[in-house]
Amino acid sequence: MSFKLPDLNYDYNALEPYIDARTMEIHHTKHHGGYTAKLNDAVKGTDLEGKSIEDILAGVSSASAAVRNNGGGYYNHNLFWTVMAPGAGGEPAGELMDAIQKHFGSFAGFKDQFSNAAATRFGSGWAWLVKKNGTLVITSTANQDNPLMDLSEVHGTPILGLDVWEHAYYLKYQNRRPEYIEAFWNVVNWDQVTKLFKG
Ligand code: MN3
């Protein structure tokens, strides 16, 4: 049993004009594909072989840097592709919206805080909306770390993630990360985020 690069639920051009097809194709096939292959190499022949990615990340502090970086990269992109969809965006409803309003004051307040976490993450990393002990928390991590990792400052279940590595936006937005972040809100798949929130 080895980790497999998942197919996307939509075409590479489906998130245009917000995220361009060329970026999506390279990001999925080369970057995510690379993390997947390197993760398989890194666990091969070790006691991590055959474990779920969640189990590996939960104990990643005692694993190699290759497992941390590529295991994080594998998991993070699996999540990322599913929390975006064509014709999505807008606002969540129901329980998730109630929780967002409760913890962040308003949906606009939540968006501001999340966007700020994404914009101010220095260098490469991710912004996250995390479910933690029945509350919602916004955080960001460096490189391919994530809140499932035992070494993460904020530990919990990520339900929305935004990749702010330059490879995620540079072809279309160059150095304009805030424009990419603003565009992201047009493709957020709130149905999937709600599913993860309830799960
Ligand atoms: Mn990436």
Side-chain angles (χ1 to χ4, degrees):
M1 266 297 283
S2 58
F3 295 105
K4 297 226 174 354
L5 179 67
D7 291 329
L8 303 191
N9 294 321
Y10 42 81
D11 294 332
Y12 290 129
N13 65 4
L15 304 181
E16 295 265 13
Y18 307 109
I19 301 180
D20 63 285
R22 186 81 179 120
T23 294
M24 286 297 296
E25 182 175 4
I26 295 171
H27 201 172
H28 179 243
T29 61
K30 306 296 183 190
H31 293 274
H32 196 188
Y35 297 127
T36 307
K38 287 176 189 165
L39 172 62
N40 285 323
D41 287 346
V43 300
K44 201 171 182 187
T46 75
D47 58 358
L48 299 177
E49 195 170 7
K51 282 194 174 180
S52 71
I53 188 62
E54 289 82 1
D55 283 351
I56 290 173
L57 297 179
V60 84
S61 60
S62 52
S64 65
V67 168
R68 177 177 176 175
N69 293 333
N70 295 296
Y74 174 74
Y75 176 90
N76 294 348
H77 292 84
N78 283 358
L79 178 80
F80 188 48
W81 309 134
T82 65
V83 296
M84 298 190 292
E91 298 184 0
E95 281 175 55
L96 176 58
M97 186 57 139
D98 291 346
I100 284 174
Q101 288 171 340
K102 182 179 166 198
H103 295 293
F104 305 105
S106 65
F107 183 69
F110 155 73
K111 266 179 74 174
D112 280 353
Q113 282 185 51
F114 187 96
S115 293
N116 188 53
T120 57
R121 165 47 53 190
F122 184 76
S124 299
W126 291 74
W128 304 103
L129 177 62
V130 181
K131 191 174 152 187
K132 179 183 167 68
N133 305 326
T135 69
L136 289 176
V137 183
I138 290 168
T139 191
S140 75
T141 55
N143 303 317
Q144 295 295 355
D145 286 356
N146 70 44
L148 289 180
M149 293 182 173
D150 57 350
L151 44 73
S152 181
E153 205 176 303
V154 172
H155 198 242
T157 306
I159 63 171
L160 177 66
L162 174 57
D163 187 343
V164 294
W165 282 59
E166 284 185 346
H167 68 229
Y169 62 86
Y170 210 84
L171 289 180
K172 183 176 174 74
Y173 297 99
Q174 292 82 50
N175 60 321
R176 304 186 305 278
R177 190 194 286 185
E179 280 181 39
Y180 159 70
I181 295 167
E182 196 51 43
F184 170 69
W185 295 112
N186 294 289
V187 295
V188 174
N189 180 0
W190 289 112
D191 289 344
Q192 177 64 15
V193 180
T194 300
K195 208 178 281 177
L196 295 170
F197 173 69
K198 289 181 174 174

